[in-house]
Structure formats: C-alpha cells, structure tokens
Amino acid sequence: MNNKNLLIPLGIILGGMMAIDMGGPINKAAYVYGTMVLATASELVAGGAQLSDPAVQACYISMASVMVGGMVPPLGIALACIFFPKKFTKAERNSTVSNIVMSCGFITEGAIPFAAADPLHVIPCTLVGAAVAGGMSAAFKCTLMAPHGGIFVFPVVGNAVMYLVSLVVGTVISAVLLGLLKKKVA
C-alpha cells in the first residue's frame, strides 16, 4: 500500500468503516485488519526490518487510522449535544460525558443509541468525520503500535500532535454535520 501511495485512501476507508456500524461487523473488520497489520509489523521486525522501514510504518499508520476513526463517533456526538442541544433529547444530552469517556477509551459503541434512533442522519455524519480523521492521520503519517487504548496510548503514537489534530477535525466535522442535518426534537 505504501509503495502505491494508497495509505491515505486506506486511512479514509478504515476510519469510515469504524463509524458505519459502531461496533458491528464492519467496524470489527477494520479493527481486526488493524491488529493484523500490527502482527505483520512484528513479524517484519522479527525478520530483521527496522522500525523505520516503509512496510513497517505502513502497518502502524493503518492501525492509527483505525483508532482515530473509532474515537470520532462518540466524541462528535458529544460535541453536537453540547453545541446543538435542541437536536437531541434530554436523555441523549445526558449521555454527553459518557460518550466523551468512551471516545477517550476508543469505545465506539457509545454512538449506537444515537445511530439506532436516527440512522439516516447520525451514521453519515459520523462516517464522514471518522473517514476524514482516518485519512488525515494517514496523510500526516501518524503511527500507532498499540491495538487499543484511545488517549491512554497517545505516548506511543507517532506524530501525536497531528494525530490529535486529526481527531479534533474529524470530531468537529461530525458535530457540525449533525447540527446541520439532524432535525430538532419536539
């Protein structure tokens, strides 16, 4: 993928996959791919490759795109609840803190109740934000050597500042799209 300049499209796809069904089979397929490439990176390093080898880096870049894409949906929804409260019920707004915590732990499933209640608006909005975050992460060559952890593994994220920028941009995009497209609750 690295030799064909396909890491950015791959990052977009992996990030978006994390937001399609928020913990379902498509999300898990992206996550399993991410963990599989981490195993591939370990095998390459065990076989004598350096951490700076482009093939090894491509593996770590892929996992970074997966994780940032999975963090965007609950964080984007939480941000939308804060800035566009009339678009959400009181019960939904009360889950803002739990969605922030879940996002910080790379738990996408906090977005499921929102997607179930309004799939035609929530899923596309979170998918776009997550795909942008995944693509940006790959474009900035952010790397991740851990298979899980959210913000708790940021110390092992390569290019952590731009990784955070990718997360923020994807989150804001999701929140703004939700604010624009979601209907006000009665």
Side-chain angles (χ1 to χ4, degrees), residues 87-143:
K87 305 283 180 135
F88 299 93
T89 66
K90 184 174 187 212
E92 289 172 330
R93 290 190 311 270
N94 286 341
S95 71
T96 298
V97 172
S98 64
N99 267 312
I100 291 169
V101 171
M102 284 191 206
S103 173
C104 289
F106 178 47
I107 301 169
T108 312
E109 287 80 355
I112 290 174
F114 294 85
D118 188 2
L120 295 178
H121 292 105
V122 173
I123 293 172
C125 295
T126 57
L127 186 145
V128 169
V132 168
M136 286 179 64
S137 172
F140 294 134
K141 298 193 181 323
C142 301
T143 59

Side-chain angles (χ1 to χ4, degrees), residues 24-81:
I26 297 170
N27 169 289
K28 292 302 181 238
Y31 177 71
V32 167
Y33 175 81
T35 56
M36 179 193 69
V37 295
L38 287 182
T40 299
S42 294
E43 289 173 8
L44 290 169
V45 170
Q50 299 295 315
L51 289 177
S52 60
D53 183 277
V56 174
Q57 287 295 299
C59 295
Y60 296 146
I61 289 168
S62 296
M63 187 64 222
S65 293
V66 168
M67 191 167 80
V68 78
M71 292 172 69
V72 166
L75 195 56
I77 289 169
L79 195 64
C81 285

